[in-house]
Structure formats: C-alpha cells, structure tokens
Amino acid sequence: MIRLALNLPKLVTQPPPLLVSRAAHSITLSQMQIASLLANAFFCTFPRRNAKGSETEYANYPDINFNRLFFHKEKRALEKMKCLLNYFRRVTRKEATGNVTFTRQYICYQDLPAWESSSNHLPKIHINTNGLIEDASGLLQADFANK
C-alpha cells in the first residue's frame, strides 16, 4: 500500500482535472492511478486539501483525505475501513489493468426537457439480477449522486 502511494508521481504525471459544477466533462484514469490516489488519500498526503474555510482553493469540493474517517467511532466508519483495506489488499496482490471514466453531465435549466408534458414513451429496458455488472461486458454503470 505504501508502494502504491509512493508511485503517484510515476502514475499521475499531472493533476487530474476537477469536474466542476455546471459543466459537462469526463476524465479517464487507469485503475492503478486510482489506487495510487486512494492510497495517498488514505495516508492523508494531500495537505492543501485539509484546509478549511470558504476562501480556500478546494472549498467547493469534498474532502479527499481520509482523516475524518479515522476519527469516526460509528460502526459504518469501521465497515468503510474494512472495505478500503480489502480493496488495497486486492489491488496490491494483483495489479489492476482496466480504466475508469468519470463523467459529469450538465444540462442548463432552460434546456431541460418538459417531462410533465411529454407524450414520448420510454424505450424498453431489461433488468437482470443475476451476476455482477463488473463481470458483464458492454454494460455501463451509473451513480446518480444528486443531493
């Protein structure tokens, strides 16, 4: 895990662009780049990201360092730690070779469809509860992270 963190300068040669609000953008990272970034977040090596206050550089972004996770005493924090440690155990035993693309979609308010007055039908959809999406080919995963 320490080796993952130390390899960051080799794996991530320039700062990844931040996906700012109100702008559509995508970023693709290798799984090893992500693992290295997460290892550094685990060891809290992003010092400027710890700064608080509305005038700081990253005031509008969530924390990247895991220091807050270490201080929580709830059971869910322990379960998150178990998940992270399992992830690091797996990625250090067998180097991950895939890529992950993060995409932020944005539609201006005036360009939003008028869903309530639309007479268009939605296309047919197939849902399968067998297996894992990670084991299937040609599928997409989506996380609707609206607050």
Side-chain angles (χ1 to χ4, degrees), residues 77-94:
L78 175 62
E79 296 305 317
K80 288 178 183 180
M81 290 295 293
K82 286 180 186 177
C83 180
L84 285 166
L85 292 173
N86 180 55
Y87 167 77
F88 287 126
R89 180 183 55 80
R90 292 179 64 185
V91 79
T92 54
R93 284 189 180 163
K94 181 181 177 197

Side-chain angles (χ1 to χ4, degrees), residues 121-127:
H121 295 282
L122 295 175
K124 291 185 178 185
I125 186 171
H126 173 78
I127 298 173

Side-chain angles (χ1 to χ4, degrees), residues 20-25 103-112:
V20 298
S21 64
R22 296 186 182 97
H25 192 72
T103 301
R104 171 167 261 180
Q105 298 289 343
Y106 175 72
I107 300 174
C108 296
Y109 182 77
Q110 61 268 21
D111 294 334
L112 287 173

Side-chain angles (χ1 to χ4, degrees), residues 101-139:
T101 300
F102 298 93
T103 301
R104 171 167 261 180
Q105 298 289 343
Y106 175 72
I107 300 174
C108 296
Y109 182 77
Q110 61 268 21
D111 294 334
L112 287 173
W115 297 112
E116 63 277 359
S117 62
S118 174
S119 61
N120 292 337
H121 295 282
L122 295 175
K124 291 185 178 185
I125 186 171
H126 173 78
I127 298 173
N128 188 346
T129 59
N130 297 329
L132 301 172
I133 194 169
E134 293 86 357
D135 297 333
S137 62
L139 302 179

